[in-house]
Amino acid sequence: MEGLPVIKISVRSLVEFILRSGDIDNRIGMSARADAMQEGSKMHRKIQRRMGAFYQAEVPLKIEIETDQYVLLIEGRADGIIRLAEDGRKGLGAGGDVVLGVSADSGDLELEGGGGEGNIRERTVIDEIKCVYRNLEYLEEPVFLHKAQAMCYAYMYARQQGLGKIGVQVTYCNLDTEEIRRFYEELSFPELEEWFLGMTAQYQKWADFQSAWKREMMLSASGLLFPYEYREGQKELAQDVYRAILRKKTLFIQAPTGTGKTLSTVYPAVKAVGEGLADKIFYLTAKTVTGTVAKETFSLLRGRGYRAKVVVITAKEKLCLCGEMDCNPVHCIYAKGHFDRVNDAVYELLQRDDFFDRDTLLMQAEKFQVCPFELCLDMASWSDDIICDYNYVFDPNVYLKRFFAEGQKGDYIFLVDEAHNLVERGREMYSAGICKEDFLMVKKILKGRDNRVDQELTRCNRLLLSYKRECDSYRVYEEGISALVFALLRLLECLDAFLQEGADVPDKKEVSEFYLNLRNFLNIYERVDGRYVVYGEHGADGRFRMRLFCVDPSCNLQKCLDKGRATVFFSATFLPIQYYKEMLSTRDDNYAVYAKTSFDADQKLLLIGRDVSSRYTRRGEAEFRKMAAYIAAVVAAKKGNYMVFFPSYQLMGQVYSQFLQVMPEGVQVLVQKAGMLEAQREAFLGEFQDTREGTLVAFCVMGGIFGEGIDLKEERLIGALIVGTGLPQIGNEREILKNYYDKRAGEGFDYAYRYPGMNKVLQAAGRVIRTAGDRGVIVLLDERFLESSYLRLFPKEWETYTVCSQRDAGETALHFWEQL
């Protein structure tokens, strides 16, 4: 055994992978039956604590199966082991919740053994606890996957202790009512052994593949060379990333365009995996465009000899083969029998391909008639590198439970691209809200179908009505909303019972969305602490909402980061770095580096207009004309493609009207529209050709789809003009953020407005210089950029800038172009 590599798998993962069968079924009654261990961890521990002295909780168990090439290590924690000796009757009196049987007829709990002194004999029982959202009255027998986990632990423990037979018990607890029901069975060691070895025999081909592939992958990674000659600072950056992984640290990288940040982070991560420091790389992105760059980088390394399985997790709606995502056997042929066929689909694909993108997954799903999204998630289990959205690691409703379920962690490397986006994304992931009017809608839909549901909907609506009446624009509830939460819990219990009866529900989609949103609200409420603000507000649509607002996502994000070995956050706009360190992590030993760009300062001209501003107090026809005149003067200096960025659609429209009156000859104008479809976006960007005869000026919105993530190299874009400082629009949540951080550090305006706004400015400006051959102008049209509060946020690459006025802006731009 010594020297053989070890392949690890948890008991739960083994059972769920080998023994799964049947359909995918998202119908609400079925969803309520799913294992809710994540939400029920507190209840889980509560049950264990009250089981008495003869109950040993969270017992680690493992078994090693040796082969010629590897050792298969199957491990996990038994929820509980009950051991009763000959005097067990006294033990039962001390810990009365120790139960060894269930009456099949009535479902009432019974103690085995009669009243005689010697009737209770020595016994060992493995207890598997499952916390669920379902009415236990409808549970006639344990779910076999749950029982199978208990059987695995029973085999391991019986083998370890030399027991001839052992009890297996599955304990179910309803999370809403705390009702408990148990199912018990006694099994002999020979029948357990036959069953367990049969299951592990089915897994052998998978373990054989994993062992052989890992050897090949690690050998290729360890010998992999950097594919290009290092740019200035690039080798040092790669070394910083490697050291962070080696030391199990979190690294923040301010990586301006020109550092080659994607390759400089992926390459050292691959090398670290090749040296056995980590198992998997998660490349996390906020947008499809950055995911494409990651795909290209891994493909580049694969072309240089790196052997790896790479999967791109694509959103469910983009993979669905049906017209509507209704994932159940009635409405989807791919859901029906999915689990009967999916393992064969996975294994064949692993033998055939190494790169699993959308097209590959769709073809395989069609061939085996399985759900392509679920197939995609399964491929992630066998992949070395996973490219996916932030959601799949951080979102409490979407995260990949196969990697990050409670109690699970691994030697994972998280590479978080464009990580400045994670602040707002994190806030949204860990926030939740309910709307009063939705309760009235569901009450109307379900009228007369269930008296208890109707009563609880009425109760919740009345409570929300009282909150609504005492709220002006918005109100923060520092005293909490416990009465409402208790009412919501009762409603959820009643809805669970009603929906599990299988009644035909009209407007099923609306009821389902209401149910899931209600459950999410209550789950998020479990997280509420000093980093949250609970408030109610009247929306612009006239609806009243109660909101759990995660103002500081750092703690929730850190819990996710702790599931891996090391994290590298990187962005071209990570300023001020301390702000992002505070928002994205709670650890105080994180460190940051400022990567060097390989671009020359003279590739760009940075202009700041000193006589123009987008302040609300200055907005008017005169200021709009001045902005338009600036744009006209700059674009007249050189023929080419330009983008002009505005803080809002409204201001963009006002300046656009003025620009049409002063627009130079030969200029074509594009205007971004709200809610553009993907085809419209592509057509918009398709206008940016380097062979255009005239000048193109595109009016866009900062922070929007064209404000970051697009890559228009060389002559495709030669200038960006940015109107205003990008401050977010004033709103309830912005003001809540401001007040919160004013109280905490006296920096409310910075945290709520200035830093997010400046990030949008930097992102928009970053569209211009993309390669060493690019030349371009960046014009900041707001005199506030000359204030110290903004100058201190400028990146190092902006140390040299020119102050101009409307009168000389065009002349300064012309001089820049003539010097090239």
Side-chain angles (χ1 to χ4, degrees), residues 657-718:
S657 297
Q658 295 296 326
F659 179 71
L660 292 180
Q661 300 177 30
V662 296
M663 183 173 64
E665 288 187 18
V667 171
Q668 178 186 347
V669 181
L670 290 178
V671 180
Q672 178 182 342
K673 305 295 184 184
M676 293 176 74
L677 301 176
E678 190 166 346
Q680 293 172 312
R681 299 177 196 176
E682 292 176 359
F684 190 94
L685 291 175
E687 294 291 332
F688 289 82
Q689 302 297 326
D690 52 11
T691 57
R692 175 179 292 278
E693 293 184 2
T695 290
L696 175 69
V697 180
F699 281 60
C700 306
V701 175
M702 268 188 275
I705 52 178
F706 305 120
E708 65 176 280
I710 62 170
D711 207 17
L712 300 174
K713 299 176 181 178
E714 298 178 348
E715 296 300 313
R716 293 189 67 193
L717 185 68
I718 66 168

Side-chain angles (χ1 to χ4, degrees), residues 126-145:
I126 301 297
D127 189 29
E128 180 71 21
I129 302 172
K130 295 297 178 185
C131 296
V132 296
Y133 288 117
R134 64 168 301 180
N135 190 332
L136 299 184
E137 291 181 8
Y138 298 98
L139 192 61
E140 298 178 353
E141 61 183 7
V143 176
F144 183 67
L145 291 180

Side-chain angles (χ1 to χ4, degrees), residues 432-491:
I434 53 174
C435 180
K436 176 191 174 300
E437 287 71 19
D438 290 342
F439 289 78
L440 292 175
M441 175 196 70
V442 174
K443 179 178 168 66
K444 183 177 180 180
I445 292 173
L446 300 181
K447 184 178 180 180
R449 293 178 175 270
D450 189 288
N451 288 335
R452 286 191 63 203
V453 171
D454 187 79
Q455 290 171 4
E456 296 304 331
L457 283 166
T458 300
R459 189 192 311 273
C460 291
N461 181 61
R462 285 175 180 167
L463 284 168
L464 286 167
L465 180 61
S466 67
Y467 286 118
K468 177 180 179 179
R469 285 172 174 168
E470 62 188 21
C471 175
D472 291 327
S473 173
Y474 76 94
R475 178 178 174 181
V476 174
Y477 298 100
E478 296 180 355
E479 68 277 13
I481 53 170
S482 56
L484 175 62
V485 169
F486 288 140
L488 294 175
L489 284 168
R490 288 194 297 270
L491 171 60

Side-chain angles (χ1 to χ4, degrees), residues 255-294:
T257 307
T259 58
K261 58 185 173 64
T262 306
L263 183 57
S264 299
T265 52
V266 169
Y267 174 74
V270 167
K271 295 293 288 184
V273 172
E275 294 175 14
L277 296 178
D279 288 333
K280 288 182 186 289
I281 299 170
F282 287 84
Y283 193 102
L284 309 178
T285 72
K287 299 187 177 182
T288 304
V289 174
T290 47
T292 301
V293 175

Side-chain angles (χ1 to χ4, degrees), residues 293-306 310 355:
V293 175
K295 284 166 51 179
E296 293 169 352
T297 302
F298 280 110
S299 295
L300 170 67
L301 296 180
R302 289 173 59 234
R304 301 301 175 98
Y306 175 47
V310 182
F355 194 85

Side-chain angles (χ1 to χ4, degrees), residues 45-64:
R45 293 188 288 269
K46 183 177 180 180
I47 294 170
Q48 291 170 326
R49 283 195 299 269
R50 71 187 188 196
M51 293 300 284
F54 288 82
Y55 191 96
Q56 186 179 359
E58 299 298 327
V59 181
L61 294 170
K62 66 180 181 180
I63 187 171
E64 295 178 340

